[in-house]
Amino acid sequence: MKNQAKKPLLQVLSGETLSPPPWWLMRQAGRYLSEYRELRKKAGSFLDLCYTPELAAEATLQPVRRFGMDAAILFSDILVVPAALGRQVSFRDGDGPSLEPLNEAGELGESFDQAMLEPVYAALRLVKSQLSDETGLIGFAGGPWTLACYVIAGRGGDFAAAKAWCKTNHSGLDRVTSILAAAVTAHLGAQIEAGAETVQIFDSWAGLLAGEQFRRWVIAPTKRIVGNLRRRYPQTPIIGFPRNAGALYGAYFAETGVDAVSLDWGVSLDQARALQTHGPVQGNLDPALLAAGGKGMEKAVRDILQALGSGPFVFNLGHGILPETPVGNVTRLGELLRGGP
Ligand code: CP3
């Protein structure tokens, strides 16, 4: 029986098939939108934008208002969790995030300053009060391994330091990922309390690990987060995004206990279909095809719908939207997904 009370995103996450499928885009708020660039100027810094509830709520709602996605995703960042664990985090324009590097595991304290993130939860409450009855609200956090990559290395794009710990400092990495997993659990729990209807765990650098390392530092801490949240919030579905996990996507889906997986654009449609037999999948248009638009994008969208549309499926990108993406291409994508010519 169709559950008419539920929003389309939540119907699919509970295993239903919808045609057309619900859609939203990773990083759907951001610099490709002129209204975001204006808001960002008004806020001053990116972190000020994240920590001012009215502005973060506005950034969250901007893409939904313009394109009518089926879900809003909280405007925030994965690095607010290390910040609340006492690590210094800054974002320099055009240069990505920067953290103080971690020399040894003992430097990372266990005390998670949840009060510091109160503006994030306030933003969620504001968004919730303004969303339509059909639009889902997504909270999120980084996966412990991905957060460890930033916390250890201190900056994006260079994860040699974290990789080195995989070889020479197993107990240190166990400690760091455990502390991060506990903080992520608290942060996601507070987001659910504030109105998030589902949460996504972004493990963007999962693909750096394989075999036993993947099991120990991606699957195991994620499984603890999922287990703890599930006990407290059994009704709230959890989406996992172990980006570039390749052949390990199946193990991640089955062993972490997430309700759905988000697929990066490297996952073939055959593999995606096989994963869909375990549960709902989300993805996985190449963001470069959305940025390019035209026939190439349209064909790729139709191929994805054809392959995955007959099972539980949420349309999304295979990674975040690129800042150079023309807004017209996103409008066109929305039309295509709603069955337009
Ligand atoms: O999806 C959304 O619209 C919600 C907001 C969101 C942001 N970051 C806002 C943001 C989400 C879900 C994230 C997640 C995030 N942040 C990830 C995981 C997903 C992924 O992309 O792999 C990671 C690794 C980060 C860390 C981070 N934050 C990086 C590496 C950067 C710099 C790169 C960039 O795009 O500038 C950020 C900054 C950031 N986070 C911006 C936004 C809108 C750009 C800030 C700005 O200049 O306005």
Side-chain angles (χ1 to χ4, degrees):
M1 196 175 68
K2 218 171 149 142
N3 183 345
Q4 296 188 325
K6 258 194 183 175
K7 303 179 179 190
L9 175 73
L10 300 173
Q11 284 178 247
V12 168
L13 293 178
S14 70
E16 287 180 46
T17 299
L18 290 189
S19 180
W23 71 294
W24 65 280
L25 304 177
M26 287 192 257
R27 296 283 199 101
Q28 63 191 21
R31 285 163 296 189
Y32 76 108
L33 288 175
S34 54
E35 59 269 37
Y36 171 81
R37 293 193 299 269
E38 248 169 63
L39 192 67
R40 172 83 158 67
K41 230 191 273 164
K42 196 163 122 189
S45 77
F46 171 65
L47 281 177
D48 286 335
L49 180 47
C50 290
Y51 290 138
T52 309
E54 294 73 20
L55 301 183
E58 173 60 18
T60 304
L61 289 163
Q62 282 176 343
V64 179
R65 226 181 261 139
R66 199 194 258 258
F67 306 110
M69 286 96 172
D70 293 289
I73 177 163
L74 166 70
F75 187 84
S76 182
D77 199 82
I78 63 168
L79 297 176
V80 301
V81 163
L85 282 166
R87 307 308 293 169
Q88 267 183 35
V89 177
S90 58
F91 288 84
R92 281 172 308 207
D93 278 347
D95 200 23
S98 161
L99 291 80
E100 47 178 331
L102 194 71
N103 299 303
E104 54 183 28
E107 279 175 19
L108 181 66
E110 290 178 48
S111 141
F112 177 61
D113 184 1
Q114 193 157 309
M116 179 183 156
L117 301 185
E118 189 47 45
V120 174
Y121 314 130
L124 271 170
R125 287 191 290 270
L126 275 176
V127 173
K128 183 80 170 219
S129 70
Q130 292 174 51
L131 274 187
S132 82
D133 293 345
E134 287 83 43
T135 314
L137 180 54
I138 305 170
F140 73 92
W145 160 250
T146 291
L147 291 174
C149 284
Y150 286 98
V151 165
I152 293 169
R155 48 182 307 112
D158 168 21
F159 300 121
K163 282 285 281 185
W165 284 36
C166 291
K167 299 204 176 68
T168 60
N169 191 358
H170 291 183
S171 61
L173 196 51
D174 284 343
R175 176 185 156 88
V176 168
T177 50
S178 295
I179 292 172
L180 289 166
V184 164
T185 305
H187 186 46
L188 291 177
Q191 290 180 54
I192 294 168
E193 300 278 351
E197 296 157 333
T198 175
V199 291
Q200 177 156 324
I201 300 172
F202 286 86
D203 224 338
S204 304
W205 299 106
L208 294 177
L209 300 184
E212 273 316 301
Q213 297 185 342
F214 185 88
R215 288 207 147 75
R216 183 162 175 175
W217 294 306
V218 174
I219 291 183
T222 304
K223 183 176 174 176
R224 288 202 299 277
I225 296 169
V226 172
N228 285 325
L229 287 175
R230 179 95 3 98
R231 264 192 294 286
R232 281 165 61 206
Y233 308 102
Q235 309 299 333
T236 305
I238 302 167
I239 307 167
F241 179 42
R243 190 170 71 94
N244 291 350
L248 290 163
Y249 254 103
Y252 177 96
F253 203 169
E255 294 171 30
T256 59
V258 292
D259 297 270
V261 285
S262 197
L263 309 175
D264 65 79
W265 52 268
V267 174
S268 73
L269 293 178
D270 283 342
Q271 190 192 351
R273 259 226 290 241
L275 288 164
Q276 204 178 30
T277 62
H278 297 279
V281 297
Q282 173 177 279
N284 70 341
L285 181 69
D286 180 349
L289 286 173
L290 177 61
K295 296 272 176 272
M297 169 182 94
E298 295 183 8
K299 177 175 187 314
V301 170
R302 290 199 177 96
D303 288 348
I304 290 171
L305 291 175
Q306 168 104 37
L308 301 173
S310 53
F313 173 58
V314 177
F315 187 93
N316 205 316
L317 295 175
H319 196 194
I321 198 165
L322 298 167
E324 64 268 28
T325 305
V327 289
N329 294 359
V330 181
T331 308
R332 177 77 189 118
L333 173 64
E335 287 166 8
L336 272 175
L337 293 171
R338 288 292 157 266

